[in-house]
Amino acid sequence: MNYKNIQTLVLRILFVSILFVFNGCVTKNEPLQTVSSVDLKKYVGKWFEISSFPQRFQKGCNCTTADYEITDKDYVKVTNSCRLDSVNGKLKIADGKAFVVENSNNSKLKVQFFWPFKGDYWIIDLGENYEYAVIGNEGREYLWILSRNASMETSMYDSILVRAKAKGFDINKLVITNQECNKNLGKK
């Protein structure tokens, strides 16, 4: 065996070893389970973002809310809003549409803010009285924790985190949303 053949063999063994180790270290997530069903009439209305995975389309957002409204068409109207760069910043509004995924009992939607692109909006956790909702996607790149109030009790938030982590989400990526300008809104 000449030097070049030995070098090639060593590189192949190294490559195969790296693949073996890499595959052993990477855990594949189970398919993401959504809630069994969602009553859209209870779901619509105003939601306050409690925390989320940072997304470039939300960069600089404070006091983020989402409003959902049933239409007489085949979609739910979505209005997301936030204050840019501070609680007194310019109001940014994004209007979109949410389409229910067939045979999902309303727990999976496709949200569209820019035609023709649609993103997954899967309701993976939901309060019994629709007091909170957790939204994610199969790839676990998106996660939003929403509440009907601008704040959430720590015990409720912590229990949501436990369930999100069990579903394969890296909860360390969550960033708490500044809701200072909404602190008195949504309280009963």
Side-chain angles (χ1 to χ4, degrees), residues 132-160:
Y132 70 85
V134 181
I135 313 308
N137 71 326
E138 182 80 27
R140 276 77 167 180
E141 302 97 354
Y142 302 111
L143 187 66
W144 288 275
I145 297 177
L146 308 177
S147 174
R148 293 296 188 180
N149 297 310
S151 62
M152 180 181 280
E153 291 181 20
T154 303
S155 60
M156 180 183 292
Y157 185 75
D158 290 345
S159 66
I160 290 169

mmCIF file of all heavy atoms in Angstrom, residues 132-160:
data_model
loop_
_atom_site.group_PDB
_atom_site.id
_atom_site.type_symbol
_atom_site.label_atom_id
_atom_site.label_comp_id
_atom_site.label_asym_id
_atom_site.label_seq_id
_atom_site.Cartn_x
_atom_site.Cartn_y
_atom_site.Cartn_z
ATOM 1 N N TYR A 132 -54.496 30.216 27.702
ATOM 2 C CA TYR A 132 -53.160 30.254 27.104
ATOM 3 C C TYR A 132 -53.147 29.328 25.901
ATOM 4 O O TYR A 132 -53.981 28.425 25.769
ATOM 5 C CB TYR A 132 -52.051 29.870 28.099
ATOM 6 C CG TYR A 132 -52.062 28.412 28.482
ATOM 7 C CD1 TYR A 132 -51.423 27.459 27.687
ATOM 8 C CD2 TYR A 132 -52.715 27.982 29.628
ATOM 9 C CE1 TYR A 132 -51.455 26.111 28.028
ATOM 10 C CE2 TYR A 132 -52.745 26.642 29.966
ATOM 11 C CZ TYR A 132 -52.117 25.713 29.172
ATOM 12 O OH TYR A 132 -52.155 24.381 29.504
ATOM 13 N N ALA A 133 -52.185 29.571 25.026
ATOM 14 C CA ALA A 133 -51.980 28.710 23.853
ATOM 15 C C ALA A 133 -50.487 28.662 23.574
ATOM 16 O O ALA A 133 -49.769 29.637 23.798
ATOM 17 C CB ALA A 133 -52.727 29.250 22.642
ATOM 18 N N VAL A 134 -50.034 27.511 23.097
ATOM 19 C CA VAL A 134 -48.637 27.360 22.713
ATOM 20 C C VAL A 134 -48.620 26.934 21.250
ATOM 21 O O VAL A 134 -49.277 25.965 20.860
ATOM 22 C CB VAL A 134 -47.906 26.325 23.595
ATOM 23 C CG1 VAL A 134 -46.438 26.213 23.192
ATOM 24 C CG2 VAL A 134 -48.037 26.704 25.073
ATOM 25 N N ILE A 135 -47.868 27.675 20.453
ATOM 26 C CA ILE A 135 -47.816 27.475 19.014
ATOM 27 C C ILE A 135 -46.411 27.037 18.631
ATOM 28 O O ILE A 135 -45.429 27.627 19.076
ATOM 29 C CB ILE A 135 -48.136 28.787 18.266
ATOM 30 C CG1 ILE A 135 -49.383 29.476 18.831
ATOM 31 C CG2 ILE A 135 -48.239 28.537 16.761
ATOM 32 C CD1 ILE A 135 -50.615 28.617 18.936
ATOM 33 N N GLY A 136 -46.327 26.017 17.778
ATOM 34 C CA GLY A 136 -45.033 25.559 17.306
ATOM 35 C C GLY A 136 -45.142 25.026 15.891
ATOM 36 O O GLY A 136 -46.179 25.158 15.237
ATOM 37 N N ASN A 137 -44.054 24.421 15.445
ATOM 38 C CA ASN A 137 -44.060 23.777 14.137
ATOM 39 C C ASN A 137 -43.269 22.476 14.227
ATOM 40 O O ASN A 137 -42.506 22.263 15.172
ATOM 41 C CB ASN A 137 -43.520 24.701 13.041
ATOM 42 C CG ASN A 137 -42.025 24.915 13.157
ATOM 43 O OD1 ASN A 137 -41.473 24.946 14.244
ATOM 44 N ND2 ASN A 137 -41.363 25.069 12.031
ATOM 45 N N GLU A 138 -43.476 21.623 13.269
ATOM 46 C CA GLU A 138 -42.880 20.283 13.263
ATOM 47 C C GLU A 138 -41.362 20.319 13.419
ATOM 48 O O GLU A 138 -40.787 19.495 14.118
ATOM 49 C CB GLU A 138 -43.256 19.553 11.961
ATOM 50 C CG GLU A 138 -42.740 18.132 11.861
ATOM 51 C CD GLU A 138 -43.567 17.118 12.615
ATOM 52 O OE1 GLU A 138 -44.766 17.342 12.806
ATOM 53 O OE2 GLU A 138 -43.003 16.075 13.008
ATOM 54 N N GLY A 139 -40.690 21.283 12.799
ATOM 55 C CA GLY A 139 -39.235 21.354 12.856
ATOM 56 C C GLY A 139 -38.693 21.961 14.139
ATOM 57 O O GLY A 139 -37.485 22.018 14.341
ATOM 58 N N ARG A 140 -39.585 22.427 15.005
ATOM 59 C CA ARG A 140 -39.227 23.031 16.297
ATOM 60 C C ARG A 140 -38.407 24.315 16.145
ATOM 61 O O ARG A 140 -37.680 24.699 17.032
ATOM 62 C CB ARG A 140 -38.472 22.051 17.189
ATOM 63 C CG ARG A 140 -39.344 21.101 18.004
ATOM 64 C CD ARG A 140 -39.876 20.002 17.210
ATOM 65 N NE ARG A 140 -40.452 18.936 18.060
ATOM 66 C CZ ARG A 140 -40.979 17.855 17.551
ATOM 67 N NH1 ARG A 140 -41.011 17.666 16.248
ATOM 68 N NH2 ARG A 140 -41.489 16.935 18.334
ATOM 69 N N GLU A 141 -38.536 25.018 15.004
ATOM 70 C CA GLU A 141 -37.837 26.296 14.826
ATOM 71 C C GLU A 141 -38.649 27.461 15.381
ATOM 72 O O GLU A 141 -38.114 28.533 15.595
ATOM 73 C CB GLU A 141 -37.576 26.597 13.340
ATOM 74 C CG GLU A 141 -36.788 25.572 12.599
ATOM 75 C CD GLU A 141 -37.688 24.612 11.823
ATOM 76 O OE1 GLU A 141 -38.927 24.666 11.949
ATOM 77 O OE2 GLU A 141 -37.132 23.792 11.090
ATOM 78 N N TYR A 142 -39.944 27.276 15.536
ATOM 79 C CA TYR A 142 -40.829 28.322 16.016
ATOM 80 C C TYR A 142 -41.490 27.871 17.302
ATOM 81 O O TYR A 142 -41.890 26.718 17.428
ATOM 82 C CB TYR A 142 -41.937 28.626 14.993
ATOM 83 C CG TYR A 142 -41.436 29.054 13.641
ATOM 84 C CD1 TYR A 142 -41.587 28.230 12.525
ATOM 85 C CD2 TYR A 142 -40.823 30.285 13.475
ATOM 86 C CE1 TYR A 142 -41.128 28.631 11.279
ATOM 87 C CE2 TYR A 142 -40.370 30.695 12.237
ATOM 88 C CZ TYR A 142 -40.526 29.862 11.138
ATOM 89 O OH TYR A 142 -40.071 30.265 9.918
ATOM 90 N N LEU A 143 -41.640 28.800 18.229
ATOM 91 C CA LEU A 143 -42.390 28.531 19.456
ATOM 92 C C LEU A 143 -42.884 29.865 19.994
ATOM 93 O O LEU A 143 -42.105 30.817 20.131
ATOM 94 C CB LEU A 143 -41.519 27.827 20.500
ATOM 95 C CG LEU A 143 -42.250 27.353 21.758
ATOM 96 C CD1 LEU A 143 -43.264 26.246 21.418
ATOM 97 C CD2 LEU A 143 -41.274 26.843 22.805
ATOM 98 N N TRP A 144 -44.175 29.944 20.234
ATOM 99 C CA TRP A 144 -44.784 31.124 20.839
ATOM 100 C C TRP A 144 -45.640 30.669 22.003
ATOM 101 O O TRP A 144 -46.420 29.717 21.874
ATOM 102 C CB TRP A 144 -45.679 31.871 19.843
ATOM 103 C CG TRP A 144 -44.955 32.597 18.774
ATOM 104 C CD1 TRP A 144 -44.430 33.862 18.846
ATOM 105 C CD2 TRP A 144 -44.680 32.137 17.443
ATOM 106 N NE1 TRP A 144 -43.844 34.200 17.643
ATOM 107 C CE2 TRP A 144 -43.988 33.161 16.772
ATOM 108 C CE3 TRP A 144 -44.954 30.954 16.758
ATOM 109 C CZ2 TRP A 144 -43.569 33.050 15.457
ATOM 110 C CZ3 TRP A 144 -44.531 30.824 15.455
ATOM 111 C CH2 TRP A 144 -43.846 31.869 14.815
ATOM 112 N N ILE A 145 -45.519 31.354 23.118
ATOM 113 C CA ILE A 145 -46.402 31.129 24.259
ATOM 114 C C ILE A 145 -47.281 32.369 24.358
ATOM 115 O O ILE A 145 -46.782 33.491 24.497
ATOM 116 C CB ILE A 145 -45.598 30.883 25.551
ATOM 117 C CG1 ILE A 145 -44.758 29.610 25.391
ATOM 118 C CG2 ILE A 145 -46.552 30.777 26.754
ATOM 119 C CD1 ILE A 145 -43.849 29.284 26.555
ATOM 120 N N LEU A 146 -48.583 32.151 24.235
ATOM 121 C CA LEU A 146 -49.561 33.234 24.203
ATOM 122 C C LEU A 146 -50.488 33.145 25.399
ATOM 123 O O LEU A 146 -50.739 32.059 25.920
ATOM 124 C CB LEU A 146 -50.397 33.148 22.915
ATOM 125 C CG LEU A 146 -49.646 33.058 21.592
ATOM 126 C CD1 LEU A 146 -50.638 32.898 20.433
ATOM 127 C CD2 LEU A 146 -48.769 34.272 21.380
ATOM 128 N N SER A 147 -51.025 34.285 25.791
ATOM 129 C CA SER A 147 -51.950 34.344 26.915
ATOM 130 C C SER A 147 -53.037 35.367 26.616
ATOM 131 O O SER A 147 -52.823 36.305 25.847
ATOM 132 C CB SER A 147 -51.186 34.741 28.182
ATOM 133 O OG SER A 147 -52.071 34.939 29.267
ATOM 134 N N ARG A 148 -54.171 35.189 27.246
ATOM 135 C CA ARG A 148 -55.239 36.184 27.127
ATOM 136 C C ARG A 148 -54.908 37.438 27.930
ATOM 137 O O ARG A 148 -55.509 38.482 27.737
ATOM 138 C CB ARG A 148 -56.562 35.607 27.616
ATOM 139 C CG ARG A 148 -57.112 34.501 26.761
ATOM 140 C CD ARG A 148 -57.459 34.999 25.376
ATOM 141 N NE ARG A 148 -58.154 33.939 24.640
ATOM 142 C CZ ARG A 148 -58.590 34.048 23.424
ATOM 143 N NH1 ARG A 148 -58.400 35.163 22.753
ATOM 144 N NH2 ARG A 148 -59.193 33.051 22.838
ATOM 145 N N ASN A 149 -53.943 37.327 28.841
ATOM 146 C CA ASN A 149 -53.487 38.459 29.648
ATOM 147 C C ASN A 149 -52.063 38.815 29.238
ATOM 148 O O ASN A 149 -51.331 37.969 28.738
ATOM 149 C CB ASN A 149 -53.517 38.115 31.139
ATOM 150 C CG ASN A 149 -54.921 37.823 31.615
ATOM 151 O OD1 ASN A 149 -55.839 38.588 31.366
ATOM 152 N ND2 ASN A 149 -55.086 36.701 32.284
ATOM 153 N N ALA A 150 -51.675 40.047 29.528
ATOM 154 C CA ALA A 150 -50.334 40.508 29.163
ATOM 155 C C ALA A 150 -49.252 39.899 30.054
ATOM 156 O O ALA A 150 -48.071 40.064 29.776
ATOM 157 C CB ALA A 150 -50.270 42.027 29.213
ATOM 158 N N SER A 151 -49.650 39.206 31.100
ATOM 159 C CA SER A 151 -48.693 38.511 31.961
ATOM 160 C C SER A 151 -49.253 37.133 32.287
ATOM 161 O O SER A 151 -50.429 36.856 32.058
ATOM 162 C CB SER A 151 -48.436 39.314 33.242
ATOM 163 O OG SER A 151 -49.632 39.441 33.977
ATOM 164 N N MET A 152 -48.389 36.290 32.825
ATOM 165 C CA MET A 152 -48.791 34.920 33.132
ATOM 166 C C MET A 152 -48.180 34.520 34.471
ATOM 167 O O MET A 152 -47.033 34.880 34.759
ATOM 168 C CB MET A 152 -48.303 33.980 32.020
ATOM 169 C CG MET A 152 -48.663 32.528 32.210
ATOM 170 S SD MET A 152 -48.030 31.479 30.859
ATOM 171 C CE MET A 152 -49.275 31.783 29.605
ATOM 172 N N GLU A 153 -48.932 33.783 35.258
ATOM 173 C CA GLU A 153 -48.421 33.281 36.528
ATOM 174 C C GLU A 153 -47.216 32.382 36.272
ATOM 175 O O GLU A 153 -47.210 31.592 35.323
ATOM 176 C CB GLU A 153 -49.495 32.489 37.260
ATOM 177 C CG GLU A 153 -50.633 33.322 37.777
ATOM 178 C CD GLU A 153 -51.664 32.476 38.508
ATOM 179 O OE1 GLU A 153 -51.355 31.357 38.938
ATOM 180 O OE2 GLU A 153 -52.802 32.970 38.635
ATOM 181 N N THR A 154 -46.216 32.512 37.118
ATOM 182 C CA THR A 154 -44.979 31.745 36.969
ATOM 183 C C THR A 154 -45.244 30.248 36.970
ATOM 184 O O THR A 154 -44.662 29.517 36.160
ATOM 185 C CB THR A 154 -43.990 32.110 38.102
ATOM 186 O OG1 THR A 154 -43.756 33.516 38.053
ATOM 187 C CG2 THR A 154 -42.681 31.369 37.950
ATOM 188 N N SER A 155 -46.124 29.767 37.831
ATOM 189 C CA SER A 155 -46.393 28.323 37.896
ATOM 190 C C SER A 155 -46.992 27.802 36.590
ATOM 191 O O SER A 155 -46.637 26.718 36.128
ATOM 192 C CB SER A 155 -47.310 27.990 39.074
ATOM 193 O OG SER A 155 -48.543 28.674 38.947
ATOM 194 N N MET A 156 -47.874 28.584 35.980
ATOM 195 C CA MET A 156 -48.461 28.180 34.701
ATOM 196 C C MET A 156 -47.387 28.169 33.613
ATOM 197 O O MET A 156 -47.288 27.225 32.826
ATOM 198 C CB MET A 156 -49.613 29.106 34.304
ATOM 199 C CG MET A 156 -50.255 28.726 32.970
ATOM 200 S SD MET A 156 -51.566 29.858 32.461
ATOM 201 C CE MET A 156 -52.804 29.511 33.695
ATOM 202 N N TYR A 157 -46.581 29.232 33.580
ATOM 203 C CA TYR A 157 -45.523 29.333 32.581
ATOM 204 C C TYR A 157 -44.544 28.171 32.713
ATOM 205 O O TYR A 157 -44.182 27.536 31.722
ATOM 206 C CB TYR A 157 -44.798 30.679 32.732
ATOM 207 C CG TYR A 157 -43.769 30.941 31.660
ATOM 208 C CD1 TYR A 157 -44.157 31.306 30.374
ATOM 209 C CD2 TYR A 157 -42.414 30.823 31.940
ATOM 210 C CE1 TYR A 157 -43.217 31.557 29.389
ATOM 211 C CE2 TYR A 157 -41.464 31.069 30.956
ATOM 212 C CZ TYR A 157 -41.873 31.436 29.684
ATOM 213 O OH TYR A 157 -40.937 31.670 28.708
ATOM 214 N N ASP A 158 -44.140 27.867 33.935
ATOM 215 C CA ASP A 158 -43.197 26.767 34.162
ATOM 216 C C ASP A 158 -43.766 25.422 33.715
ATOM 217 O O ASP A 158 -43.053 24.602 33.147
ATOM 218 C CB ASP A 158 -42.781 26.708 35.635
ATOM 219 C CG ASP A 158 -41.889 27.867 36.042
ATOM 220 O OD1 ASP A 158 -41.355 28.568 35.149
ATOM 221 O OD2 ASP A 158 -41.735 28.089 37.259
ATOM 222 N N SER A 159 -45.055 25.192 33.953
ATOM 223 C CA SER A 159 -45.648 23.917 33.524
ATOM 224 C C SER A 159 -45.731 23.842 31.998
ATOM 225 O O SER A 159 -45.546 22.772 31.412
ATOM 226 C CB SER A 159 -47.024 23.705 34.168
ATOM 227 O OG SER A 159 -47.958 24.653 33.712
ATOM 228 N N ILE A 160 -45.959 24.972 31.347
ATOM 229 C CA ILE A 160 -45.947 25.020 29.875
ATOM 230 C C ILE A 160 -44.555 24.680 29.360
ATOM 231 O O ILE A 160 -44.396 23.913 28.404
ATOM 232 C CB ILE A 160 -46.416 26.401 29.364
ATOM 233 C CG1 ILE A 160 -47.916 26.582 29.622
ATOM 234 C CG2 ILE A 160 -46.092 26.580 27.882
ATOM 235 C CD1 ILE A 160 -48.428 27.995 29.398
#
